[in-house]
Amino acid sequence: MYTQALDVMSKQEIAADRRPVRSADDAAREAAFEAHIADGGFVEAKDWMPDHYRKTLVRQISQHAHSEIVGMLPEGNWISRAPTLKRKAILLAKVQDEGGHGLYLYAAAETLGTSREQMIEALHSGKAKYSSIFNYPTLTWADVGAIGWLVDGAAIMNQVPLCRCSYGPYARAMIRICREESFHQRQGFDSLLTMMTQGTDAQRAMVQDAVDRWWWPSIMMFGPPDDASPNSEQSMRWGIKRISNDELRQKFIDATAEQARVLGVALPDPQLTWNEARGHWDFGAIDWDEFWNVVNGHGPCNRERLAARVKAADDGAWVREAALAHAAKQAAREADALRAA
Ligand code: FAQ
């Protein structure tokens, strides 16, 4: 069910790096393109690019856009139950920001020649992926803080290098998104810190329980280990990804382990220890079976999340139809006015 419909090449072709070159002109253009990228150059929408570069970007950017939109659901679940007006206003703004991120990203992907409708259809039919993390439930208010701290924290770690992605429209969208994600991470940390330092024992226990449930899925967000990541090598060569999945995961764990101390929560990994020689935190084995199970559609909330998106699109169909009918009427009126003039 969860395969990327937008990928043109088979995995075997990619693995063998057998790119179908159609003509000598294409081969020359491809060599010039590779040299431009190797030189640190950027690519714009109207520039020539190899098909596989275009498809890789559509795959990654559309998957990213879907993640932002599906990612509105777990926290959106708590807007009507936020504990104070202040927290409600912050959460509303955050969820709205995620919707905005999805729109910038769909727009960036559209510059590559794939329509919004095609991308949404791929999501709704189960062909396109979105981040595994959004298939977990938000059981208590502390989950909202834990998502801000850990999920947005992991998202920023992964997304800051994307501000230097070789594809200009994606890189520019990421600059704005990262500014907003940074606010999101801080509000999550602040919400948890308030409960830990000024809350009741029950609230502190609620925070610890949320951290226990979100820690491992958050570190899975960075994707499979480098030696099991089929897309990494080519994406790094093309400057789409700048830092590998494992390196980003390690950077996130290093930063978060220190923040957990400040917060006064335990991270649920008995093997998490500072390694002086490496200058990094060591951590325990990640349950990759759980990760693939969720990616392949069998996580706790996969069905619910997709059903919510499909229902929202169906319920909103009349708005899109009305807007199109209005635009058509307006265009006809303007054409009549021009003819009469
Ligand atoms: N979940 O070869 P790789 C957010 C798939 S936004 C599901 O390593 P790649 C904001 C991958 O697609 C979070 N699938 O792949 C927010 C590939 O399958 P494919 C989203 C995953 O592309 C916060 C296969 O596994 N961020 O959180 C995952 O080189 C709070 C093999 O993997 C982005 O999308 C996963 N976690 O590297 C919103 C950032 N990981 O496509 C609301 C942009 C891997 O070949 C609330 N994306 N897969 O069929 C990226 O940086 C990359 O695409 C990676 C994956 C790093 C996610």
Side-chain angles (χ1 to χ4, degrees):
M1 167 185 174
Y2 277 68
T3 55
Q4 288 291 340
L6 305 167
D7 225 323
V8 272
M9 291 175 68
S10 71
K11 302 268 174 193
Q12 288 82 354
E13 276 178 314
I14 295 165
D17 200 17
R18 276 191 282 111
R19 271 168 265 153
V21 176
R22 283 183 297 280
S23 67
D25 276 359
D26 273 349
R29 274 199 289 250
E30 187 155 346
F33 177 88
E34 299 281 348
H36 176 66
I37 297 272
D39 213 30
F42 285 86
V43 179
E44 293 300 332
K46 290 187 176 161
D47 295 344
W48 184 89
M49 61 187 87
D51 269 1
H52 185 41
Y53 177 83
R54 186 185 297 278
K55 297 292 174 184
T56 298
L57 281 166
V58 171
R59 177 185 65 78
Q60 177 165 326
I61 304 173
S62 65
Q63 175 180 303
H64 191 168
H66 299 326
S67 302
E68 301 280 357
I69 299 295
V70 177
M72 297 168 76
L73 297 169
E75 288 170 285
N77 182 35
W78 281 89
I79 292 173
S80 59
R81 291 178 284 158
T84 65
L85 181 59
K86 175 181 146 188
R87 294 290 173 199
K88 186 184 179 106
I90 293 171
L91 183 56
L92 260 174
K94 179 187 189 290
V95 172
Q96 222 165 11
D97 283 353
E98 309 298 2
H101 298 173
L103 297 183
Y104 314 148
L105 290 165
Y106 283 129
E110 281 178 308
T111 65
L112 291 155
T114 301
S115 72
R116 181 93 50 107
E117 288 71 25
Q118 284 173 292
M119 291 184 267
I120 302 285
E121 167 52 27
L123 172 70
H124 290 180
S125 66
K127 285 180 195 147
K129 290 185 170 71
Y130 59 87
S131 182
S132 50
I133 192 75
F134 302 117
N135 292 305
Y136 291 86
T138 40
L139 303 180
T140 71
W141 169 252
D143 287 24
V144 171
I147 290 179
W149 177 40
L150 297 173
V151 176
D152 285 276
I156 302 172
M157 195 57 87
N158 163 270
Q159 291 173 15
V160 166
L162 294 175
C163 299
R164 291 184 292 116
C165 165
S166 59
Y167 187 58
Y170 190 26
R172 289 189 288 276
M174 290 316 303
I175 292 170
R176 179 160 177 185
I177 291 176
C178 284
R179 285 200 192 116
E180 292 176 355
E181 296 291 18
S182 151
F183 154 76
H184 296 169
Q185 195 265 354
R186 291 171 74 132
Q187 68 80 33
F189 188 82
D190 174 76
S191 167
L192 297 184
L193 191 64
T194 303
M195 285 190 272
M196 290 303 287
T197 55
Q198 298 167 35
T200 60
D201 284 347
Q203 285 170 319
R204 277 187 284 277
M206 185 169 77
V207 171
Q208 184 60 60
D209 169 64
V211 170
D212 287 346
R213 286 181 288 106
W214 288 93
W215 172 249
W216 289 104
S218 297
I219 65 174
M220 291 175 193
M221 278 175 74
F222 296 93
D226 294 348
D227 58 11
S229 163
N231 301 300
S232 276
E233 196 188 331
Q234 182 63 77
S235 289
M236 301 272 287
R237 209 159 48 218
W238 274 332
I240 295 173
K241 284 167 91 163
R242 298 281 183 187
I243 307 185
S244 81
N245 296 0
D246 284 333
E247 270 182 272
L248 286 169
R249 189 175 359 261
Q250 182 71 64
K251 277 161 79 81
F252 173 72
I253 291 171
D254 289 349
T256 314
E258 299 297 339
Q259 292 164 6
R261 281 188 186 169
V262 176
L263 212 45
V265 293
L267 294 174
D269 178 358
Q271 281 160 271
L272 191 71
T273 43
W274 176 249
N275 183 326
E276 192 65 48
R278 283 201 318 122
H280 290 293
W281 287 79
D282 288 337
F283 53 95
I286 295 172
D287 182 350
W288 291 114
D289 289 344
E290 173 181 329
F291 171 76
W292 288 117
N293 200 38
V294 175
V295 172
N296 288 322
H298 310 297
C301 300
N302 294 60
R303 277 167 202 271
E304 186 184 327
R305 298 291 184 239
L306 262 194
R309 286 311 316 152
V310 171
K311 181 173 185 313
D314 289 349
D315 290 353
W318 71 271
V319 180
R320 294 190 296 279
E321 281 162 21
L324 285 173
H326 176 70
K329 268 189 191 168
Q330 204 157 11
R333 264 199 299 268
E334 277 164 20
D336 284 350
L338 271 178
R339 267 195 297 274

